Amino acid sequence: HAPPPGFDGWESAEWDGFNAYKRACTPEEAALLEAHQAAMIEEERRELDEIARDEREAFFQQLRTEIAATAAAAPLPAAGEGLGRGDADAKASPRGNS
């Protein structure tokens, strides 16, 4: 972009509007660019947090649905009855090896 009036920073060439041109930013321009970048990073972080939250909820909802379907077909064991693996629960538990 064209330099502001009175600009005395680094320029790759004289601004003419036609040829390639680069220049240093003014302090105000640099602050605006940094603030914009920080805002975009924060917006992206919020969007990613929302996506992760939605994915987590969808995952656990799927588990709830699967458990409900399984429980309707065959009830889950009561607390303390193990998971239906024979004596594997007792072997895996330090209390079961006494």
Side-chain angles (χ1 to χ4, degrees), residues 13-34:
E14 186 77 23
W15 167 258
D16 63 13
F18 297 107
N19 295 305
Y21 171 80
K22 293 181 183 180
R23 68 172 174 83
C25 291
T26 66
E28 180 185 8
E29 292 168 334
L32 287 169
L33 289 168
E34 289 174 9

Side-chain angles (χ1 to χ4, degrees), residues 1-15:
H1 295 283
F7 181 76
D8 65 352
W10 177 84
E11 296 177 276
S12 64
E14 186 77 23
W15 167 258

